[in-house]
Amino acid sequence: MKLVYGITLSTLVLVICSANICEDRNIKGCQKLAAIKQDMCQDNCMTTLCPRTCGLCPLTCYSCDHVDHPSDCHHILQCTNMTMSCIVSQTVTASLEKKFQLGCVDNLVCNDLYGAIPNRTQSRGRRDVDLIGGCCSSDLCNKYNEPDKISAPTINPVQPSGKTNGFSAACTEMDSEVCRYFSENNGCNLTCVASLCPQTCGKCSLTCYECASVDLPGQCRNRIMCDGHKESCIAVESHVFNFKEGYKLGCVAKQNCKDLLAMNIEGVCCDNNFCNGNYIPTTTLIPLTSTLDTTTASAQSQLGLPTGCTPSFKHEHNECPSKFVRKGQNCYFVGQHARTRHDAMNVCKYLCSRLVIISSKVENLAISQLLSQQRHQANRYWLDAYRNSSSFSGPWHWRSTGDILRRHTYSHWRPGSHDQTKPDGEHCASIGKAESGDSDNGYYWDHRSCTIHAPAICEYPLGHKLLKKK
């Protein structure tokens, strides 16, 4: 093997360590992140956390001036820039001792000494200078037992695309373990870590209710964590696929929230925890004012309607409030969501109405027709009829008005049902489908436990026009 005497590596190699060490924020975190998201190096945020994993750091190389063998070198340095490779080369000292030098070298110098720097697919070409050693292009690749047989893979740096992921709409994070690694040593102080790991870093400061469709915002109980810096809670009126009106709740970008409400859609944008579930639509209770005098309040009470409540009418000429349809001489609202009778009563109360009171066969048939037209029909719906829970043998009465269902009062009980007494407290009335072949008489009434779930039928009497907004 030929040697070039009189040439020392110090004349060829730059070994100045960069002042700004380029390393992954957390090696374990970057490794797991790379396994989860193979295209992570296409995101600026992730490349700032994992520059070495993404091949964006200058190489780290073993660096020693004179060692008997490359395996004796243990000092490590980072090269100054991306145009340098690791090198190991045999040289001689002033006393003609053969030694090895290791460190960083500019790619052009390395090419002059050993030819083109090999990568994974290339074989080594013939060297212009016959020195024992070589250059390589991966971290710590320049320490080998046989320095004349250096062969190491090349890392091809992946350039980021320029896009940066922000908070997700649901304020979720990719992996809790990855976030635990990145949050160590005050990592959450970094904008990138806080954006990737909002839950771990405590940035999910806003909790909203989230439901695709409910009759009223106050009925939603599902929760979602949102980015309080960029998002607001929203409750907005929406039409579901069967054209029934309802409310959609969740979190949305602040500007989008404002744009929606600017379209005159009923709803609210708010920035406090659970605030969208507290939204009361314009159809709900308001304090008594001069427009609701004592005469009006008295009429409300007599009809079993909540006092001090003004319903909303989409147009001034409408006879029925918003969300109600007219059948005969009354307006009705059919709920789409099953709930206990107590909650069903509250649905009607929110809408300035009451659970339905059926006073004639004509009305029973009208309601039966209305229920049969529902796209998603329930087995039963709540009525206003009720009997005292402490005496199941007591009389049935309309709870909103107090009127007792006497023998001469119209009723349409399923045969024998309302006379039964059961220890489970079936003292609330519902209306359900008629027996096969008996549809001409309309839906039957039945007694049920007040804790079962069924949709509400709310009623707003047309004769009570004093309640319209002036």
Side-chain angles (χ1 to χ4, degrees):
M1 182 68 68
K2 295 180 180 179
L3 297 177
V4 178
Y5 295 98
I7 299 178
T8 63
L9 195 60
S10 60
T11 63
L12 304 175
V13 182
L14 295 174
V15 294
I16 301 174
C17 182
S18 172
N20 298 318
I21 302 299
C22 181
E23 292 293 347
D24 290 344
R25 169 74 191 179
N26 185 287
I27 296 175
K28 291 182 179 179
C30 290
Q31 289 175 344
K32 182 159 188 181
L33 187 59
I36 296 173
K37 186 174 176 60
Q38 296 182 357
D39 63 344
M40 74 169 193
C41 294
Q42 296 299 319
D43 187 288
N44 269 349
C45 176
M46 296 182 188
T47 55
T48 61
L49 296 176
C50 307
R52 186 161 295 281
T53 297
C54 290
L56 300 177
C57 289
L59 294 177
T60 55
C61 307
Y62 286 104
S63 174
C64 293
D65 286 338
H66 297 95
V67 289
D68 294 331
H69 192 273
S71 60
D72 297 328
C73 183
H74 303 291
H75 180 256
I76 297 173
L77 65 81
Q78 179 175 286
C79 300
T80 57
N81 55 62
M82 297 290 292
T83 64
M84 303 186 77
S85 300
C86 297
I87 189 172
V88 56
S89 183
Q90 190 179 44
T91 184
V92 293
T93 66
S95 59
L96 300 181
E97 293 181 286
K98 289 187 290 185
K99 298 288 184 179
F100 286 92
Q101 286 189 327
L102 298 85
C104 298
V105 67
D106 188 274
N107 288 337
L108 293 177
V109 175
C110 199
N111 186 68
D112 290 341
L113 288 174
Y114 298 112
I117 302 172
N119 59 27
R120 291 177 186 268
T121 59
Q122 293 175 332
S123 60
R124 298 186 62 81
R126 185 175 180 82
R127 299 169 179 168
D128 294 331
V129 180
D130 199 1
L131 289 173
I132 294 177
C135 296
C136 53
S137 54
S138 61
D139 290 327
L140 305 178
C141 61
N142 59 334
K143 185 166 79 170
Y144 289 86
N145 290 331
E146 298 179 82
D148 59 340
K149 295 181 180 180
I150 294 177
S151 178
T154 297
I155 294 179
N156 296 316
V158 179
Q159 297 301 321
S161 65
K163 69 182 181 70
T164 301
N165 288 341
F167 288 95
S168 67
C171 200
T172 57
E173 49 195 29
M174 186 180 305
D175 184 88
S176 58
E177 186 176 7
V178 169
C179 288
R180 179 170 58 82
Y181 287 135
F182 287 154
S183 64
E184 293 176 353
N185 301 318
N186 299 318
C188 287
N189 293 336
L190 302 175
T191 302
C192 181
V193 175
S195 66
L196 289 177
C197 307
Q199 293 184 28
T200 299
C201 292
K203 299 299 181 180
C204 297
S205 57
L206 184 64
T207 306
C208 307
Y209 285 112
E210 180 189 44
C211 287
S213 178
V214 290
D215 293 335
L216 293 165
Q219 298 158 11
C220 183
R221 288 296 176 264
N222 298 327
R223 300 178 179 184
I224 185 172
M225 288 186 293
C226 308
D227 172 14
H229 299 288
K230 299 179 181 179
E231 296 175 320
S232 296
C233 298
I234 188 171
V236 64
E237 185 181 28
S238 66
H239 291 264
V240 294
F241 63 89
N242 60 353
F243 302 106
K244 289 291 182 181
E245 292 179 336
Y247 286 87
K248 180 179 178 65
L249 290 82
C251 51
V252 69
K254 291 181 181 292
Q255 187 58 51
N256 291 347
C257 204
K258 295 178 181 178
D259 293 343
L260 278 172
L261 297 188
M263 299 168 62
N264 294 323
I265 299 175
E266 182 180 301
V268 67
C269 293
C270 52
D271 299 307
N272 299 317
N273 289 333
F274 310 116
C275 57
N276 56 340
N278 297 326
Y279 173 62
I280 300 177
T282 56
T283 57
T284 55
L285 295 173
I286 62 172
L288 283 172
T289 65
S290 59
T291 60
L292 287 174
D293 55 25
T294 56
T295 301
T296 301
S298 176
Q300 289 176 321
S301 178
Q302 291 177 11
L303 291 168
L305 298 172
T307 58
C309 185
T310 301
S312 172
F313 295 83
K314 282 194 173 180
H315 302 288
E316 187 176 349
H317 64 274
N318 282 6
E319 291 187 289
C320 290
S322 301
K323 306 180 186 299
F324 284 71
V325 296
R326 179 173 178 174
K327 284 287 184 180
Q329 296 303 310
N330 293 297
C331 303
Y332 301 100
F333 168 84
V334 180
Q336 299 296 304
H337 303 280
R339 49 184 47 83
T340 66
R341 186 181 187 278
H342 179 269
D343 289 341
M345 290 173 59
N346 284 335
V347 169
C348 299
K349 184 177 179 181
Y350 278 128
L351 297 173
C352 298
S353 61
R354 68 184 184 207
L355 284 174
V356 64
I357 295 175
I358 302 176
S359 57
S360 68
K361 180 178 180 180
V362 172
E363 185 176 10
N364 195 76
L365 290 173
I367 292 174
S368 299
Q369 182 186 31
L370 178 62
L371 297 180
S372 67
Q373 294 170 347
Q374 301 302 305
R375 180 164 184 170
H376 296 285
Q377 299 180 33
N379 292 328
R380 61 186 60 87
Y381 298 81
W382 287 120
L383 299 177
D384 192 62
Y386 175 85
R387 64 180 172 184
N388 192 288
S389 59
S390 63
S391 177
F392 301 136
S393 60
W396 288 89
H397 62 278
W398 297 114
R399 184 163 189 171
S400 295
T401 61
D403 294 336
I404 297 176
L405 277 74
R406 305 182 187 278
R407 291 185 180 276
H408 63 275
T409 306
Y410 174 79
S411 64
H412 194 54
W413 295 102
R414 195 178 303 278
S417 67
H418 68 296
D419 293 328
Q420 297 177 10
T421 59
K422 292 189 175 182
D424 57 356
E426 293 190 352
H427 51 274
C428 291
S430 65
I431 184 172
K433 292 183 179 180
E435 300 291 346
S436 177
D438 193 25
S439 58
D440 291 342
N441 292 316
Y443 285 15
Y444 276 109
W445 307 358
D446 209 343
H447 70 110
R448 297 288 171 184
S449 167
C450 300
T451 60
I452 69 167
H453 287 67
I457 308 176
C458 304
E459 180 182 21
Y460 182 82
L462 274 178
H464 193 46
K465 296 180 180 178
L466 290 173
L467 299 182
K468 276 197 175 185
K469 287 184 177 178
K470 297 180 180 180

